[in-house]
Amino acid sequence: MTEKVKVVTLGCEKNLVDSEIMSGLIHERGYSLVDDKEEATVIIVNTCGFIDAAKEESVNTILDLADLKETANLKALIVSGCLTQRYKKELMNEMPEIDGIVGTGDFDKINDIIDEALAGRKPILVGNPAFNYEKQLPRRMTTPRYTAYVKIAEGCDNACTFCSIPIMRGKFRSRSIESIVAEATQLAAQGVREISLIAQDSTNYGTDLYEGFMLPTLLNKITEVPGIEWVRLHYAYPGFFTDELIETIASNPKVCKYIDMPLQHSEDIILKRMRRPGRQRDTRELVHKIRSRIPDVALRTSLIVGFPGETEQDFANLCEFVKEMRFDRLGVFAYSKEDDTPASRLPDQVPDEVKEFRATTLMEIQREISREENGKRIGQELNVLIERYDGRNDVYVGRSEFDAPDVDGEVFVTRCTAGIGEMQKVRITHSFEFDLSGEGIA
């Protein structure tokens, strides 16, 4: 009997890429990939272990799916990803429901893990987290056919005091330009038009492999691939944002005028405790430089509230900073105390209810900023990548270059003449808190 395998992905886009590679290997082996968990004989849960909420979601998902051994066809439950890399012993000792685990550096051996798990041997394959993305591996896309994520590097060397990524993903490692361009070429041949470049620290790309900041070169190389219309940049570490990178984004029409640059905080004392690069003055100068050179840029950032020692005044200053900087997109996270990180040992931990209140307060500020900034788009003509048709409201829905998949706003389009996965020129007529609407231009 051919095994029926379902892959469940939790966490970030980097995990999604790993799941797509595992799915490709499983399909190549001859197993059937299924969407219905009730139908599956093998389920792989690719976990996230970044913050408490993600770890809790991972554990709850594993336990919920384990019930299918009694109620459906499940024979083997396998766990992969960051949680296994960090807690392999605890998972196997405390969750007998798990039939095998594989770490972040060994998931290309997923078929061997499946075989051993089905044989009842409860395999544990968690070694060095360094995975070789240079290898040509099959990949089964789970994103819509016109958009894809491409990893340009893995791991991180920045040693922020709150972050456990180096523990789970290892040291920073760039992929070669050749392997990335080859993957982009293959994706374009399959119909992909938008590529989102992802890494824990994308602006540091190339420093380990080429002894220099090579992200501008990489961006230009990818935009030369026939069929690629948008290249989007995620997780740009502010300490390595060079003038050459700004110039490349400004001058290359296929590079989205969209920068996802996590800043984490505004106050110098908190940034120092976080071990983040530079200080608020440096951030202001960088943002000013980016906006002056790329006037229409959409800047997305993420901030952490409730970091150990954050006072009421620190938070008030952060709120004023957000009001002044007027980021186009903003994500807010309540600080999560992570095992084995320096920040977990700091004094003056902030109570959970205070952290949650601060997160809500900051997002309310951003909500009003977003509404006002979106209003400035009325009357503009934007290229919109059409993603679906909403039959109930008789409207097409897509994204502009200023919005990343799944995390940002959408554009609702009437009089649309483009098909799904195609570009439509749209004149914006209305704006909302996070979304826009407009009419297609023939």
Side-chain angles (χ1 to χ4, degrees), residues 128-130 153-174 199-209 213 235 237 240 274-277 342:
N128 191 307
E154 185 58 280
C156 189
D157 290 343
N158 294 320
C160 300
T161 60
F162 56 83
C163 185
S164 57
I165 291 295
I167 300 172
M168 298 182 288
R169 291 283 178 173
K171 292 286 188 180
F172 181 81
R173 308 174 304 282
S174 300
Q200 197 61 35
D201 173 7
S202 60
T203 43
N204 200 25
Y205 173 76
T207 54
D208 57 326
L209 199 58
F213 296 106
Y235 316 125
Y237 194 73
F240 305 133
M274 288 179 168
R275 207 180 291 155
R276 295 290 292 175

Side-chain angles (χ1 to χ4, degrees), residues 206-238:
T207 54
D208 57 326
L209 199 58
Y210 302 106
E211 299 183 353
F213 296 106
M214 296 296 288
L215 185 57
T217 300
L218 177 65
L219 286 170
N220 286 327
K221 290 284 188 183
I222 293 176
T223 58
E224 292 172 1
V225 174
I228 299 301
E229 298 185 47
W230 281 352
V231 179
R232 189 179 298 280
L233 181 61
H234 285 277
Y235 316 125
Y237 194 73

Side-chain angles (χ1 to χ4, degrees), residues 304-321:
I304 296 174
V305 296
F307 190 80
E310 183 188 62
T311 64
E312 289 293 340
Q313 187 60 55
D314 292 331
F315 177 66
N317 292 345
L318 177 61
C319 290
E320 289 305 310
F321 175 79

Side-chain angles (χ1 to χ4, degrees), residues 3 31 41-42 75-76 99 113-121 123:
E3 302 299 341
Y31 292 150
T41 59
V42 178
K75 295 188 290 186
D99 299 297
I113 296 293
I114 291 174
D115 290 345
E116 290 197 35
L118 288 170
R121 288 193 281 269

